[in-house]
Amino acid sequence: MIELIDTYWLFFLVGQYPNGPLGGLSLTLILASLGLVLALPLGLLLGIARVSPFAALRWPVTAVIFVVRGTPLLMVVFWAYFSLPVLTGHKTDQFTTMLVALVVFDAVYLAEIVRAGIKSLPAGQMECARSLGLSWLGAMRLVVLPQALRHMLPSLVNQFVSTIKETSLGYIIGLTEVSFIAAQINTQVFTMPMQVYLILGLTYFTLCFGLSRFAYWLDRRFNRGASIRVAA
Amino acid sequence: MNQLELANIDLAYGSALIVRKLSLSLAQGRIGCLLGPSGCGKTTVLRCIAGFERVAAGEIRLAGTLVSSHEHHLAPEKRRIGMVFQDYALFPHLTVGDNIGFGLRALAAGERQARVTELLRVVGLSEQGHKYPHELSGGQQQRVALARALAPRPSLLLLDEPFSNLDVELRERLSYEVRDIIKATGTTAVLVTHDQHEAFAVADEIGIMNEGRIQQWDSPYNLYHRPANRFVADFIGQGVLLPARVINDHQVNLELGTLNSVIPLECQVGCGNCSRHCPVEVLLRPDDIIHDDASPMKARVAKKAFRGADILYTLELASGTRVLSLVPSHHNHAIGELIGIRLDVDHVVTFHEDSNLAAHAQQHSHGLVGAS
């Protein structure tokens, strides 16, 4: 096991880099982080559109959410893999393909979390802010979202943890993220599949566990003193 | 020009008409109240004025400007309305000071701070500005909600059941306090409540609502002493309706004697000639029947409710008819005892005889007692 780690640790971490494209754990981390960073604002926009009073905005967004939510991520990855080159007119690399699929898929789930968070607040909060002179969007930004996001945090973290694990589906389209690299190591070593996949499993666990602890710490830090809500 | 004007408002949810042809007007600086049982549509009217609901027909004008009609709907944020919600709707992520200053974002920081300080003083919370809403008591939260609504100097203040989350004692004290604060700022206000004591404590004029309509818009005094119909008579205060015969347009005759009315009695039968012993019913409030040991007229004590300063007696007349009498507490009589009573009626209120009344009155145990 020590010998295994000793031989392959660099390959596991960065793939063939610098002699080839970046891969391994680094690629997984980059893909997951970019996925989160891009999916969150998109999810916020979609979630707000879903509760907006403008039907012309609400209905198409609702339709998109239902379609994507009713499809496995694998399907979305395939769709992105085969349709993106047709739509954009030039060849899309595996990383971009996987990123687009992840962002679309997660944004839809995040949108539903955002919607639920907004709906969980008493209607009086929005109405009160509007009677005090704020537009719908202004009230959303200054009154509703700051409270709703706090309520949403556990669900958001849940979805982020999911995103980290979902990057492993890049394997299917030949993206050299950490699962793909682990499979390659396994083929080369051949005699130690248990050990190789144990290390891979521990790697994912560490990432996900670390993220949820970080979120917990963040929650404590920001909600200190104001965590008890007014009885409504 | 009236500060608030509602003309023939209709509002429907689906096919159900919640508010029907409702009109009211309120002069600058007056406090009006919509009072009625739950489900009568009073909160809906308030939400129409605030702009949270669209009207199906009719017009709402604020300080002369049209804000709501079937074709036109001004957004709530453009109406310059202050609203106090039933659950206060304080913003839990902001301090008390930031809550109060929330409607003052257009002001420079210094001016805003000055106004917040002023309002904290007005509602007696000068030391609490830095706290969060959940750190305050219910009564304090209520006053923060009021200060926040008053801060932008609204053209109209709306209060939706503002005291219903408070205990009885605090409710009474705060309702007078709230009235003083609103009056001190000269704000025109509309209060919605189902509690008549709250309405009497806060409002200058009150509209009794039932089934989407205003039954009577009047002063508290007139609602009690000159109810326009049976619903108002029943909803406001206590009393009984006794069968009586009209003698002439100033006198009615009932079991307890003859009542003289200063104002000519309105014909309730539609005969146009009220001197032919038309059958009517006369409203008798508990304070219309005075306990007097010297009186030859006797009634038997059927029930008594001790209320501290006074006792509310339910008395049975010789015919078996029951009436209510409010008597100072030191006149303590046992159930079954015969006591002397006499009538002292300032305002004679008559209604057309209604055979359904007994059943109707039993549904409102706090209101009228069946006279039959």
Side-chain angles (χ1 to χ4, degrees):
Chain A
M1 180 110 168
I2 300 294
E3 198 196 332
L4 177 75
I5 294 170
D6 212 32
T7 317
Y8 290 104
W9 67 272
L10 192 62
F11 188 47
F12 187 79
L13 285 185
V14 297
Q16 288 173 331
Y17 190 81
N19 303 317
L22 184 71
L25 185 56
S26 325
L27 190 68
T28 293
L29 283 175
I30 292 169
L31 183 61
S33 322
L34 267 179
L36 294 186
V37 167
L38 296 176
L40 184 60
L42 184 60
L44 264 179
L45 286 180
L46 291 178
I48 291 169
R50 188 109 154 75
V51 296
S52 85
F54 316 107
L57 199 61
R58 204 167 59 231
W59 288 112
V61 168
T62 307
V64 167
I65 286 175
F66 272 84
V67 168
V68 176
R69 211 172 44 166
T71 322
L73 176 58
L74 191 63
M75 277 279 300
V76 180
V77 174
F78 281 150
W79 266 93
Y81 189 69
F82 293 114
S83 65
L84 274 179
V86 178
L87 287 175
T88 58
H90 44 82
K91 199 176 176 307
T92 320
D93 62 57
Q94 289 119 324
F95 181 82
T96 313
T97 305
M98 190 59 206
L99 184 62
V100 169
L102 265 186
V103 167
V104 169
F105 192 76
D106 282 329
V108 160
Y109 279 87
L110 291 173
E112 286 299 277
I113 294 170
V114 170
R115 183 177 77 104
I118 291 171
K119 290 273 179 196
S120 74
L121 290 187
Q125 293 282 317
M126 168 61 83
E127 288 175 351
C128 185
R130 293 199 70 184
S131 72
L132 288 167
L134 246 64
S135 65
W136 187 86
L137 261 180
M140 191 48 85
R141 191 170 61 86
L142 288 178
V143 172
V144 176
L145 280 180
Q147 297 177 59
L149 279 170
R150 232 171 246 181
H151 296 191
M152 286 178 227
L153 198 67
S155 309
L156 289 179
V157 173
N158 212 15
Q159 191 57 36
F160 293 163
V161 165
S162 254
T163 308
I164 294 179
K165 294 184 289 185
E166 282 160 359
T167 56
S168 64
L169 278 177
Y171 179 95
I172 282 301
I173 54 169
L175 180 67
T176 57
E177 44 69 56
V178 73
S179 301
F180 190 89
I181 296 292
Q184 280 192 329
I185 295 173
N186 185 41
T187 319
Q188 286 173 27
V189 180
F190 201 66
T191 54
M192 291 196 275
M194 297 279 277
Q195 288 88 333
V196 170
Y197 287 112
L198 179 68
I199 290 169
L200 180 64
L202 280 174
T203 308
Y204 279 118
F205 175 79
T206 311
L207 286 182
C208 296
F209 185 72
L211 179 65
S212 55
R213 295 313 293 179
F214 174 69
Y216 179 71
W217 173 81
L218 218 60
D219 184 35
R220 291 280 297 252
R221 200 180 134 86
F222 285 122
N223 287 354
R224 195 170 28 194
S227 57
I228 311 158
R229 290 193 49 237
V230 185
Chain B
M1 184 183 63
N2 284 315
Q3 188 67 7
L4 174 68
E5 188 92 52
L6 272 67
N8 293 315
I9 296 300
D10 274 354
L11 183 129
Y13 288 139
S15 60
L17 211 54
I18 307 297
V19 177
R20 306 157 199 243
K21 293 264 168 287
L22 186 137
S23 300
L24 67 87
S25 57
L26 205 56
Q28 163 65 38
R30 301 283 285 175
I31 304 177
C33 173
L34 292 171
L35 174 64
S38 53
C40 71
K42 54 193 191 298
T43 295
T44 309
V45 174
L46 203 71
R47 294 175 57 80
C48 286
I49 300 172
F52 299 134
E53 308 279 352
R54 286 167 181 269
V55 298
E59 288 184 351
I60 299 177
R61 284 173 193 278
L62 267 173
T65 313
L66 179 69
V67 293
S68 281
S69 70
H70 181 59
E71 298 81 21
H72 180 77
H73 182 85
L74 191 68
E77 63 266 27
K78 300 205 170 99
R79 297 191 175 200
R80 290 197 55 234
I81 273 177
M83 188 144 176
V84 177
F85 289 78
Q86 188 170 2
D87 64 3
Y88 316 140
L90 296 178
F91 303 138
H93 61 301
L94 300 178
T95 62
V96 166
D98 287 343
N99 263 283
I100 295 175
F102 193 86
L104 307 171
R105 288 171 318 282
L107 264 55
E111 277 178 81
R112 188 187 325 153
Q113 192 48 53
R115 180 84 178 131
V116 169
T117 309
E118 181 190 342
L119 275 152
L120 281 169
R121 187 182 47 74
V122 168
V123 297
L125 294 171
S126 290
E127 307 301 313
Q128 319 286 335
H130 61 281
K131 288 190 179 168
Y132 280 91
H134 73 263
E135 296 174 286
L136 302 183
S137 70
Q140 288 173 324
Q141 290 183 8
Q142 215 266 349
R143 279 180 282 169
V144 174
L146 181 64
R148 180 179 63 179
L150 287 172
R153 297 191 168 86
S155 65
L156 180 69
L157 179 70
L158 303 174
L159 304 109
D160 182 11
E161 302 262 6
F163 308 106
S164 60
N165 280 345
L166 303 169
D167 56 62
V168 180
E169 220 168 295
L170 192 60
R171 189 182 300 185
E172 201 174 313
R173 210 190 67 214
L174 258 178
S175 53
Y176 288 104
E177 236 178 270
V178 163
R179 180 185 161 85
D180 290 345
I181 293 169
I182 296 172
K183 283 289 175 190
T185 55
T187 312
T188 315
V190 179
L191 166 79
V192 155
T193 179
H194 62 271
D195 180 339
Q196 49 185 297
H197 302 294
E198 235 170 80
F200 293 161
V202 179
D204 300 314
E205 36 202 292
I206 298 170
I208 307 293
M209 266 192 85
N210 189 37
E211 291 174 347
R213 299 172 197 273
I214 290 184
Q215 307 288 323
Q216 185 176 0
W217 182 276
D218 223 323
S219 66
Y221 184 89
N222 280 349
L223 289 174
Y224 186 79
H225 290 292
R226 302 224 139 270
N229 58 36
R230 283 173 186 274
F231 180 83
V232 177
D234 186 8
F235 192 78
I236 297 290
Q238 290 172 305
V240 295
L241 286 169
L242 284 191
R245 296 265 169 190
V246 178
I247 300 172
N248 55 49
D249 64 359
H250 282 277
Q251 283 185 309
V252 287
N253 203 359
L254 64 161
E255 189 181 346
L256 292 163
T258 300
L259 285 179
N260 296 307
S261 178
V262 184
I263 314 162
L265 294 166
E266 270 179 58
C267 177
Q268 298 292 336
V269 188
C271 62
N273 178 15
C274 286
S275 56
R276 293 182 181 173
H277 298 264
C278 301
V280 292
E281 284 175 328
V282 172
L283 174 68
L284 288 182
R285 297 292 193 190
D287 49 327
D288 291 335
I289 295 173
I290 308 281
H291 171 39
D292 183 358
D293 287 325
S295 170
M297 200 188 307
K298 302 287 180 194
R300 189 176 302 279
V301 177
K303 275 194 254 176
K304 61 191 277 193
F306 181 73
R307 310 210 297 192
D310 42 46
I311 298 175
L312 182 68
Y313 285 108
T314 304
L315 303 172
E316 199 168 273
L317 307 181
S319 65
T321 303
R322 291 187 168 191
V323 295
L324 298 175
S325 175
L326 199 61
V327 174
S329 190
H330 55 269
H331 292 286
N332 194 9
H333 297 284
I335 288 176
E337 214 176 305
L338 273 176
I339 62 171
I341 52 167
R342 66 180 162 80
L343 288 175
D344 181 16
V345 183
D346 282 340
H347 308 271
V348 180
V349 177
T350 60
F351 294 116
H352 181 26
E353 192 176 45
D354 177 5
S355 54
N356 295 325
L357 182 76
H360 175 67
Q362 273 164 8
Q363 292 166 5
H364 300 271
S365 53
H366 65 283
L368 295 171
V369 174
S372 51

